């Protein structure tokens, strides 16, 4: 249910229970939780036993210490308004589905190393804080709303093809493109706070910007790529007049746009 009688607030799956969310003819009905979803160690919430074709929306937080299994059916995505926590005993199977963070206000904390298929940040006013997590993206990462705080997280891209999209700015601490991956970046700017490692293919549209502008620090380009193509590169922050250093080492890359900008006090080094 999404309203009225039977509409749940907090849901906890415990005592080694397996909850078939689409049971009793409910596979084609959207599900919503007004509060938090908690899956305890040894328990399972599955959208794939009775294969669901409608989404699950959790307006609060999701805590996974058991197993959360999304549906293999078309349209059965997951929306979350609060925090995401994947514990050491927990597992998450995306099954080719999209997870959308769509919080309204405040800070949305992401904890626990998680593999997503498609991950979308579409918060109206909320901030998604990725802390020290390792986030693996199998297909697409999109940011269309809200604020992204990378913390000291690592985003690993494995898709071939895979994509980075969405009209708003994306902030990464460490970003890694794995061997065999081919990632396109077609909308919105990129900000790299620490390391950009490419062992596959990265292609940014020629009109887009990548900023290595974390203040008073060194960012690096590394990896052995098939190809690395940026649109435009900007090193340092021209507005706040804070310098940055980009150490490209022996990384071979192409700038396909019109500009390679080294703002006042900033440094570029490479072999």
């Amino acid at each position: 249910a999404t309203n009225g009688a039977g509409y749940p607030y907090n849901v906890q799956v415990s005592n080694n229970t397996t909850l078939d969310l689409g049971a009793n003819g409910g596979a084609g009905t959207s599900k919503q939780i007004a509060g938090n979803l908690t899956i305890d160690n040894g328990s399972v919430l599955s959208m794939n036993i009775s294969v669901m074709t409608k989404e699950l929306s959790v307006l609060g937080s999701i805590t996974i210490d058991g197993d959360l299994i999304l549906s293999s059916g078309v349209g059965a995505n997951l929306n979350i308004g609060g925090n995401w926590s994947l514990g050491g005993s927990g597992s998450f199977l995306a099954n080719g589905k999209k997870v959308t963070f769509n919080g309204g206000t405040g800070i949305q904390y992401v904890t626990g190393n998680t593999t997503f298929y498609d991950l979308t940040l579409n918060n109206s006013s909320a901030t998604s804080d990725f802390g020290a997590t390792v986030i693996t993206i199998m297909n697409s990462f999109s940011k269309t709303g809200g604020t992204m705080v990378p913390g000291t997280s690592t985003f690993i891209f494995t898709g071939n093809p895979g994509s980075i999209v969405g009209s708003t700015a994306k902030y990464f601490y460490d970003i890694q493109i794995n061997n065999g991956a081919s990632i396109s970046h077609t909308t919105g700017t990129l900000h790299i706070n620490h390391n950009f490692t490419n062992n596959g293919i990265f292609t940014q549209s020629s009109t887009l910007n990548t900023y290595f502008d974390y203040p008073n620090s060194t960012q690096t380009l590394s990896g052995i790529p098939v190809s690395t193509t940026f649109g435009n590169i900007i090193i340092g922050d021209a507005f706040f007049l804070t310098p940055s250093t980009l150490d490209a080492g022996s990384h071979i890359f192409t700038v396909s746009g019109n500009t390679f900008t080294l703002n006042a006090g900033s440094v570029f080094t490479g072999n």
Side-chain angles (χ1 to χ4, degrees), residues 66-82:
D67 301 327
L68 175 58
I69 302 170
L70 301 191
S71 174
S72 57
V74 175
N77 297 313
L78 175 64
N79 305 312
I80 172 173

Side-chain angles (χ1 to χ4, degrees), residues 44-88:
V44 179
L45 188 152
S46 177
M47 300 173 67
N48 204 45
I49 298 172
S50 301
V51 178
M52 293 189 64
T53 56
K54 293 292 185 179
E55 73 280 353
L56 168 63
S57 297
V58 179
L59 304 189
S61 298
I62 298 178
T63 301
I64 308 167
D65 290 310
D67 301 327
L68 175 58
I69 302 170
L70 301 191
S71 174
S72 57
V74 175
N77 297 313
L78 175 64
N79 305 312
I80 172 173
N83 302 325
W84 173 277
S85 176
L86 180 62

Side-chain angles (χ1 to χ4, degrees), residues 75-101:
N77 297 313
L78 175 64
N79 305 312
I80 172 173
N83 302 325
W84 173 277
S85 176
L86 180 62
S89 63
S91 70
F92 170 68
L93 179 61
N95 254 335
K97 294 299 165 295
K98 178 170 66 175
V99 175
T100 298
F101 288 71

Side-chain angles (χ1 to χ4, degrees), residues 142-143 164-170 184-190 205 208:
S142 174
K143 181 174 175 288
I164 301 172
V165 295
S167 58
T168 57
K170 302 149 195 72
S184 62
H185 173 222
T186 55
T187 50
T189 60
L190 290 186
S205 296
L208 299 183

Side-chain angles (χ1 to χ4, degrees):
T2 58
N3 56 66
Y7 178 33
Y9 192 77
N10 293 325
V11 173
Q12 183 170 2
V13 186
S14 58
N15 295 323
N16 298 311
T17 298
T18 295
L19 176 60
D20 177 4
L21 197 62
N24 301 314
T29 302
S30 297
K31 304 294 195 298
Q32 184 167 290
I33 297 170
N36 302 322
L37 170 63
T38 302
I39 306 170
D40 289 342
N41 186 13
S43 295
V44 179
L45 188 152
S46 177
M47 300 173 67
N48 204 45
I49 298 172
S50 301
V51 178
M52 293 189 64
T53 56
K54 293 292 185 179
E55 73 280 353
L56 168 63
S57 297
V58 179
L59 304 189
S61 298
I62 298 178
T63 301
I64 308 167
D65 290 310
D67 301 327
L68 175 58
I69 302 170
L70 301 191
S71 174
S72 57
V74 175
N77 297 313
L78 175 64
N79 305 312
I80 172 173
N83 302 325
W84 173 277
S85 176
L86 180 62
S89 63
S91 70
F92 170 68
L93 179 61
N95 254 335
K97 294 299 165 295
K98 178 170 66 175
V99 175
T100 298
F101 288 71
N102 58 356
T105 59
I107 300 177
Q108 190 176 52
Y109 293 101
V110 181
T111 57
N113 300 338
T114 306
T115 297
F116 296 99
Y117 184 75
D118 289 343
L119 176 60
T120 294
L121 305 184
N122 189 31
N123 299 308
S124 57
S125 298
T127 295
S128 296
D129 187 336
F130 287 90
T133 57
V134 177
I135 302 296
T136 300
I137 306 293
M138 299 175 66
N139 187 50
S140 179
F141 175 76
S142 174
K143 181 174 175 288
T144 54
T147 302
M148 179 180 180
V149 175
T152 57
S153 63
T154 300
F155 273 69
I156 300 173
F157 290 84
T158 63
N160 186 3
S163 62
I164 301 172
V165 295
S167 58
T168 57
K170 302 149 195 72
Y171 290 82
F172 298 101
Y173 184 76
D174 288 339
I175 181 171
Q176 176 180 315
I177 298 167
N178 277 3
N179 183 24
S182 179
I183 306 302
S184 62
H185 173 222
T186 55
T187 50
T189 60
L190 290 186
H191 294 257
I192 310 299
N193 287 2
H194 192 230
N195 295 327
F196 182 104
T197 303
N198 181 19
N199 291 303
I201 298 172
F202 173 77
T203 307
Q204 184 179 50
S205 296
S206 62
T207 58
L208 299 183
N209 297 332
T210 296
Y211 292 85
F212 295 90
D213 60 350
Y214 196 73
N216 303 305
S217 65
T218 298
Q219 292 93 60
T220 62
L221 282 174
S222 62
I224 304 174
V226 176
S227 64
T228 302
T229 302
F230 295 105
N232 304 294
I233 287 180
I234 297 93
I235 305 171
D237 192 315
F239 183 79
F240 291 104
L241 302 177
T242 52
S244 301
T245 296
L246 175 59
D247 182 358
S250 58
H251 193 93
I252 298 172
F253 64 95
T254 300
V255 178
S256 65
N258 296 320
T259 61
F260 183 98
T261 303
L262 193 63
N263 284 313
S266 294
V267 176
F268 172 78
T269 61
N271 298 329

